[in-house]
Amino acid sequence: MSLSLKKENKITILDKSLSRGKSEVSISAFALLFSEIVQYCHNRVNTIPELQQKLSDLGFHVGQRYLDLIVLREKGHKRETKLVNMLVFIKSNVWKNLFGKEADKLEHANDDEKIYYIIEKDPLVNRFISNPRRQSSLNCASFMAGIIEAILTTSNFPAKVTAHWHEGTAFRINFDESVLLRDKTVDGRG
């Protein structure tokens, strides 16, 4: 009888609240895990663009799952409906929760109203990856681009996000035309 009582009182991970939790992960554990992800992907592709796409796809899966958790924890179940507010949410709240600090910059392209940039001088995912000379164009921050794309797309802001080498890494966010039209309508400018 005492054995069954001990089993019933044991708290599992499913019993714990989603709104609380330890938000820190060991950098060395993350570095090891991420380098294994890159090696796994690298062994299954032939070109650098394929590798970056595979990393982006994996990031997309992470971002889809992470969105619900971050909205629950940070926003009290309320989702952003305006484009700029959503980008600021990603630059600040999402970045802080994932990487321990805000992204360095959020910029709007001068020549195209559909394009925004989130700039990170030293992305955590690139910090522990060394690129051979023949693969110098590889930017493992494509994983982060996938996370951003998933959060935006799942939040009804369809966009294509890519990682580029510029001032560290620039995440180029190219929104679908429908997002801009909706945003203008919400603001009363449409």
Side-chain angles (χ1 to χ4, degrees):
M1 185 167 183
S2 63
L3 289 176
S4 65
L5 286 177
K6 287 182 182 178
K7 286 184 181 178
E8 289 177 17
N9 292 336
K10 187 176 179 181
I11 296 175
T12 67
I13 195 167
L14 298 174
D15 297 323
K16 294 180 181 179
S17 172
L18 286 176
S19 61
R20 290 184 239 135
K22 188 175 178 184
S23 62
E24 294 179 17
V25 174
S26 164
I27 295 289
S28 57
F30 174 79
L32 177 65
L33 178 62
F34 191 71
S35 68
E36 288 298 319
I37 289 171
V38 172
Q39 287 177 17
Y40 174 84
C41 293
H42 185 264
N43 292 334
R44 284 157 178 73
V45 298
N46 296 318
T47 66
I48 298 299
E50 286 176 355
L51 176 57
Q52 291 183 153
Q53 184 59 51
K54 197 161 215 40
L55 288 171
S56 180
D57 292 344
L58 288 172
F60 193 90
H61 291 295
V62 170
Q64 284 179 312
R65 286 150 183 82
Y66 190 69
L67 176 64
D68 289 331
L69 183 62
I70 189 95
V71 167
L72 172 71
R73 285 182 179 170
E74 299 290 321
K75 304 289 281 177
H77 302 287
K78 295 178 182 170
R79 298 206 183 208
E80 293 294 344
T81 56
K82 293 188 177 181
L83 176 64
V84 173
N85 293 349
M86 186 63 184
L87 290 169
V88 170
F89 173 69
I90 290 171
K91 177 195 176 285
S92 57
N93 298 57
V94 171
W95 230 260
K96 277 184 198 174
N97 280 282
L98 285 174
F99 308 112
K101 68 177 201 72
E102 280 192 26
D104 294 322
K105 291 182 190 174
L106 172 63
E107 295 182 357
H108 188 238
N110 294 331
D111 56 344
D112 192 344
E113 67 176 357
K114 296 187 303 186
I115 297 176
Y116 286 81
Y117 296 95
I118 293 177
I119 298 172
E120 180 66 35
K121 288 182 173 69
D122 186 26
L124 183 63
V125 296
N126 285 345
R127 200 173 298 162
F128 304 104
I129 303 295
S130 58
N131 290 342
R133 211 168 255 193
R134 60 186 170 81
Q135 295 178 342
S136 62
S137 65
L138 173 64
N139 192 338
C140 291
S142 295
F143 179 78
M144 294 166 65
I147 293 173
I148 297 167
E149 184 173 332
I151 289 172
L152 288 169
T153 303
T154 306
S155 298
N156 202 23
F157 292 93
K160 179 65 181 154
V161 182
T162 52
H164 303 275
W165 293 109
H166 176 71
E167 296 182 26
T169 295
F171 299 95
R172 183 178 192 263
I173 305 167
N174 190 355
F175 285 101
D176 189 70
E177 189 69 40
S178 64
V179 174
L180 298 173
L181 291 173
R182 183 185 70 224
D183 206 47
K184 286 178 183 175
T185 303
V186 169
D187 285 344
R189 296 179 301 185

